[in-house]
């Protein structure tokens, strides 16, 4: 009986220790919003890495965040990069280069970030936006919203996607 109690107690202790240990370190998540626009995204950090051109190769599709695909919700019809977009929730992707990003809205807002190639037939629109270089690095991927649109900053890169309602 005492061996059984010791065995069960040991299993319980191991289980509690395992549960208390952090699992895989995930990126933090954030939501930014205005009256008519909501962006929900994973916020990866640089952690001393070179992001654009290395971790994120130029010319390849990126989910513009970490974990699940970044979601952009338009509360009413708008223009995105000068093109009309219907109210709704969309997954956001980009193909970064050194001088411009091709930003893509995809109608499959619930997809995991790396599933894009299976869902690219659900692209709703794409726009090209210029890249600006920042003088100081931004450690965590950051989205900000303004009356002009969506600004994305990370590392020493900044893009602004015009949005109007």
């Amino acid at each position: 009986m005492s061996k059984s109690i010791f065995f069960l107690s040991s299993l319980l202790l191991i289980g509690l220790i395992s549960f208390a240990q952090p699992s895989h370190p995930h990126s933090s998540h954030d939501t930014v919003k205005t009256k008519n626009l909501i962006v929900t995204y994973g916020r990866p950090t640089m952690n001393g890495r070179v992001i654009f051109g290395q971790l994120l190769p130029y010319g390849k599709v990126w989910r513009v965040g970490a974990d699940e695909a970044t979601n952009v919700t338009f509360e009413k019809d708008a223009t995105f990069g000068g093109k009309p977009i219907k109210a709704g929730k969309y997954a956001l992707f980009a193909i970064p280069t050194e001088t411009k990003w091709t930003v893509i809205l995809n109608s499959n807002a619930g997809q995991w970030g790396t599933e894009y190639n299976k869902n690219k037939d659900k692209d709703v629109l794409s726009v090209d936006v210029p890249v600006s270089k920042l003088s100081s690095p931004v450690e965590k991927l950051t989205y900000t919203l303004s009356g002009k649109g969506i600004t994305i900053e990370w590392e020493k890169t900044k893009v602004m996607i015009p949005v109007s309602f």
Side-chain angles (χ1 to χ4, degrees):
M1 176 85 168
S2 64
K3 285 183 180 182
S4 296
I5 292 172
F6 176 77
F7 178 73
L8 289 174
S9 297
S10 297
L11 282 177
L12 179 62
L13 182 60
I14 290 169
L16 288 173
I17 290 170
S18 297
F19 182 74
Q21 295 297 317
S23 59
H24 184 269
H26 294 287
S27 299
S28 63
H29 293 86
D30 201 0
T31 298
V32 292
K33 55 184 154 181
T34 63
K35 180 180 176 184
N36 295 310
L37 186 61
I38 303 167
V39 178
T40 303
Y41 66 106
R43 295 191 72 194
T45 58
M46 284 177 39
N47 287 330
R49 302 174 292 183
V50 175
I51 304 302
F52 296 103
Q54 287 192 17
L55 180 66
L56 300 172
Y58 290 128
K60 301 282 185 184
V61 175
W62 173 45
R63 61 186 155 209
V64 200
D67 305 327
E68 299 88 6
T70 294
N71 285 314
V72 178
T73 304
F74 299 91
E75 295 294 333
K76 61 182 190 175
D77 293 353
T79 62
F80 182 83
K83 295 182 179 180
I85 186 73
K86 295 283 185 193
K89 186 175 184 179
Y90 301 90
L92 179 76
F93 295 93
I95 302 171
T97 72
E98 288 184 75
T99 58
K100 72 171 177 141
W101 286 13
T102 300
V103 182
I104 304 161
L105 290 178
N106 182 284
S107 65
N108 188 4
Q111 65 188 292
W112 184 254
T114 57
E115 294 177 342
Y116 174 76
N117 285 328
K118 292 190 288 186
N119 295 299
K120 62 184 171 186
D121 60 320
K122 296 181 181 170
D123 288 354
V124 176
L125 67 80
S126 66
V127 297
D128 290 337
V129 294
V131 169
S132 300
K133 292 296 179 190
L134 300 168
S135 57
S136 301
V138 174
E139 178 66 24
K140 288 188 105 162
L141 175 67
T142 303
Y143 281 76
T144 53
L145 306 179
S146 69
K148 294 181 180 181
I150 301 170
T151 301
I152 305 167
E153 296 177 317
W154 197 23
E155 196 185 38
K156 288 191 170 186
T157 298
K158 174 181 175 178
V159 296
M160 201 284 282
I161 308 152
V163 176
S164 60
F165 293 93

